[in-house]
Amino acid sequence: MPYILIQVTREGVSLEQKQQLIQGATDLVVQVLNKDPQTTFVVIDEVDTDNWGVAGQSVTQLRLAQQLNTPPQK
Amino acid sequence: MPYILIQVTREGVSLEQKQQLIQGATDLVVQVLNKDPQTTFVVIDEVDTDNWGVAGQSVTQLRLAQQLNTPPQK
Amino acid sequence: MPYILIQVTREGVSLEQKQQLIQGATDLVVQVLNKDPQTTFVVIDEVDTDNWGVAGQSVTQLRLAQQLNTPPQK
Amino acid sequence: MPYILIQVTREGVSLEQKQQLIQGATDLVVQVLNKDPQTTFVVIDEVDTDNWGVAGQSVTQLRLAQQLNTPPQK
Amino acid sequence: MPYILIQVTREGVSLEQKQQLIQGATDLVVQVLNKDPQTTFVVIDEVDTDNWGVAGQSVTQLRLAQQLNTPPQK
Amino acid sequence: MPYILIQVTREGVSLEQKQQLIQGATDLVVQVLNKDPQTTFVVIDEVDTDNWGVAGQSVTQLRLAQQLNTPPQK
């Protein structure tokens, strides 16, 4: 019966990673709570970085700031 | 005052079906709980089949397996 | 596969009403979208009236104002 | 630690408005609840007007009706 | 940045199980998506069995039916 | 039409603070997006500290650790 929502920023989560999230989250409630995987929902919600804020800034802005502060790779 | 979220996989829900879901969900809380339709929200959230997991698999995979197990139509 | 969340204020929803909401919401997605009731979740979330705001006021305040504006019953 | 979800119809919310929503919502919980902005999430969810219902109608229909009832601008 | 909601029926989830769910869900997004655990939220929402419906029935009813169908233990 | 969910840990949010959150969140979408307060919902969801995890630990544990690391007040 569990419903698991995994909300992350839309930053290139691959099909394989989505499958790992679905399998991993299902396994978690099966192992910890002995739930039936057949009636365990996992929903992955990808949110644009413009639409997700942390510390009062959008993730788009945070990522930009991170890039500016990263010394160029040799 | 009710807020109703209807989350389904993104598998071609038509405009007409969306209207039926909105009308039906609103009628439900009006009839059962005597709520005011003017302040009843219904939100339909369509989720990609890659992003919805059941029994540890994505719905994309489940649909594929269903197709493979379906005998060809004569 | 549908997940339906029905969020209402905690104002005495009876067991029977909860059952009607569960049955009605399930029937809705079965009839409109031909979904499998066995994998249709309906979750009813009751929210304290102090914790639900409309028009900038809590529902507790709104209900109070409604009572004050209602002429006494003869 | 707060998680704030702001769900609105997808009707052209600009980048600047998104930033104002993120900043404003973060400031609100910092000022009222003394929360740490570094661990305050704000998520803006934009919903298609076909997918949002009020009073049993989709917002798309409501907007259409509003336009039809608005006298032409001179 | 991930926000993970784990919604389950209120059926005696122990403190230890809650800690395992929190740790497990956090580890999942750290390992699969390389996310920072410091800004990974996990919220466990326990829902009364009267308030959770599957196949048109509340979980309370389903559990009752399961008990009636279970042969007495010798 | 906005629906705003403010999810915080259940750590003694007062009635007055709840009213400030409701008023503040409503004002925010009115000022930034010119929304109608009459159809703006604000829902405050208080979550037990056992049920909220950050960095793989429950908030209950984090608060305990914070107390142990705080030098006694003179």
Side-chain angles (χ1 to χ4, degrees):
Chain A
M1 228 75 75
Y3 167 83
I4 303 165
L5 169 69
I6 301 176
Q7 205 171 40
V8 290
T9 44
R10 191 190 303 277
E11 297 184 279
V13 181
S14 69
L15 268 187
E16 202 200 323
Q17 288 173 316
K18 289 180 183 180
Q19 182 50 45
Q20 290 171 347
L21 291 175
I22 288 170
Q23 188 67 65
T26 304
D27 290 348
L28 181 62
V29 292
V30 170
Q31 287 153 19
V32 175
L33 299 177
N34 193 28
K35 294 293 186 182
D36 177 359
Q38 296 299 323
T39 50
T40 293
F41 288 178
V42 179
V43 170
I44 301 167
D45 181 22
E46 297 170 89
V47 178
D48 292 342
T49 55
D50 292 335
N51 287 35
W52 193 307
V54 179
Q57 287 199 294
S58 73
V59 171
T60 305
Q61 293 168 308
L62 291 172
R63 295 290 184 248
L64 208 66
Q66 285 166 350
Q67 281 162 21
L68 295 179
N69 298 340
T70 324
Q73 282 156 333
K74 285 163 195 134
Chain B
M1 227 76 73
Y3 168 84
I4 303 165
L5 170 69
I6 301 175
Q7 205 171 40
V8 290
T9 43
R10 190 190 304 278
E11 296 184 281
V13 181
S14 70
L15 267 187
E16 201 199 326
Q17 288 173 315
K18 289 180 183 179
Q19 183 50 46
Q20 290 172 345
L21 290 174
I22 289 170
Q23 187 68 64
T26 305
D27 291 347
L28 181 63
V29 293
V30 170
Q31 287 152 20
V32 175
L33 300 176
N34 193 29
K35 294 293 185 182
D36 176 0
Q38 295 299 323
T39 51
T40 293
F41 288 178
V42 179
V43 170
I44 300 167
D45 181 21
E46 296 170 271
V47 178
D48 292 342
T49 55
D50 292 336
N51 286 36
W52 193 307
V54 179
Q57 287 199 296
S58 74
V59 170
T60 306
Q61 292 168 308
L62 291 173
R63 295 291 184 249
L64 209 65
Q66 284 165 351
Q67 283 162 20
L68 295 180
N69 297 341
T70 326
Q73 281 155 332
K74 285 168 192 126
Chain C
M1 227 74 77
Y3 167 84
I4 303 165
L5 170 69
I6 302 176
Q7 207 171 41
V8 290
T9 43
R10 190 189 304 279
E11 296 184 280
V13 181
S14 69
L15 268 186
E16 201 199 323
Q17 289 173 316
K18 289 179 182 180
Q19 182 50 45
Q20 290 171 347
L21 291 174
I22 288 170
Q23 187 67 64
T26 305
D27 291 347
L28 180 63
V29 292
V30 170
Q31 288 152 19
V32 174
L33 299 176
N34 193 28
K35 294 292 185 183
D36 176 359
Q38 296 299 323
T39 51
T40 294
F41 287 178
V42 178
V43 171
I44 301 168
D45 182 22
E46 297 170 271
V47 178
D48 292 342
T49 56
D50 292 335
N51 287 36
W52 193 307
V54 179
Q57 287 200 297
S58 74
V59 171
T60 307
Q61 293 167 307
L62 291 173
R63 296 290 185 247
L64 208 64
Q66 286 166 349
Q67 282 163 21
L68 295 179
N69 298 341
T70 329
Q73 283 157 332
K74 285 167 193 126
Chain D
M1 228 75 75
Y3 167 83
I4 304 165
L5 170 69
I6 302 175
Q7 208 171 39
V8 290
T9 44
R10 190 190 303 279
E11 297 183 280
V13 181
S14 70
L15 268 187
E16 202 199 322
Q17 288 173 316
K18 289 179 182 180
Q19 182 49 46
Q20 290 171 346
L21 291 174
I22 288 170
Q23 188 67 64
T26 304
D27 290 348
L28 180 64
V29 292
V30 169
Q31 287 153 20
V32 175
L33 299 177
N34 193 28
K35 295 292 186 182
D36 175 0
Q38 296 299 324
T39 50
T40 294
F41 287 177
V42 179
V43 170
I44 301 167
D45 182 22
E46 297 170 271
V47 178
D48 292 342
T49 55
D50 292 335
N51 288 34
W52 194 306
V54 180
Q57 287 199 298
S58 73
V59 171
T60 306
Q61 293 168 308
L62 291 173
R63 296 291 185 248
L64 207 65
Q66 285 167 350
Q67 281 162 21
L68 295 179
N69 297 339
T70 326
Q73 284 157 329
K74 284 166 193 130
Chain E
M1 229 75 74
Y3 167 83
I4 303 166
L5 170 68
I6 302 175
Q7 206 171 40
V8 291
T9 44
R10 192 190 303 278
E11 297 184 279
V13 181
S14 69
L15 267 187
E16 201 198 325
Q17 288 173 316
K18 290 179 183 180
Q19 183 49 46
Q20 289 171 348
L21 291 174
I22 289 170
Q23 188 67 65
T26 305
D27 291 348
L28 181 63
V29 292
V30 170
Q31 287 153 20
V32 175
L33 300 176
N34 194 28
K35 295 293 186 182
D36 176 359
Q38 295 300 324
T39 50
T40 294
F41 288 178
V42 178
V43 171
I44 301 167
D45 181 21
E46 297 170 271
V47 178
D48 292 343
T49 55
D50 292 336
N51 287 35
W52 193 308
V54 180
Q57 287 199 296
S58 73
V59 171
T60 306
Q61 291 168 309
L62 291 173
R63 295 291 184 250
L64 209 64
Q66 285 167 350
Q67 281 162 22
L68 295 179
N69 297 340
T70 326
Q73 282 156 333
K74 285 166 194 133
Chain F
M1 228 75 74
Y3 168 83
I4 303 166
L5 170 68
I6 301 175
Q7 205 171 41
V8 291
T9 44
R10 190 189 305 277
E11 296 184 281
V13 181
S14 69
L15 268 187
E16 201 199 325
Q17 288 173 316
K18 290 179 183 179
Q19 183 50 46
Q20 291 171 346
L21 290 174
I22 289 171
Q23 187 67 65
T26 305
D27 291 347
L28 181 62
V29 293
V30 170
Q31 288 152 20
V32 175
L33 299 177
N34 194 27
K35 294 293 186 182
D36 176 359
Q38 296 299 323
T39 51
T40 293
F41 287 179
V42 179
V43 171
I44 300 167
D45 182 21
E46 296 170 271
V47 178
D48 292 342
T49 56
D50 292 336
N51 287 35
W52 193 308
V54 179
Q57 286 199 299
S58 74
V59 171
T60 305
Q61 292 169 309
L62 291 173
R63 295 291 184 248
L64 209 63
Q66 285 166 350
Q67 281 163 20
L68 295 179
N69 297 340
T70 326
Q73 283 158 330
K74 287 167 191 129

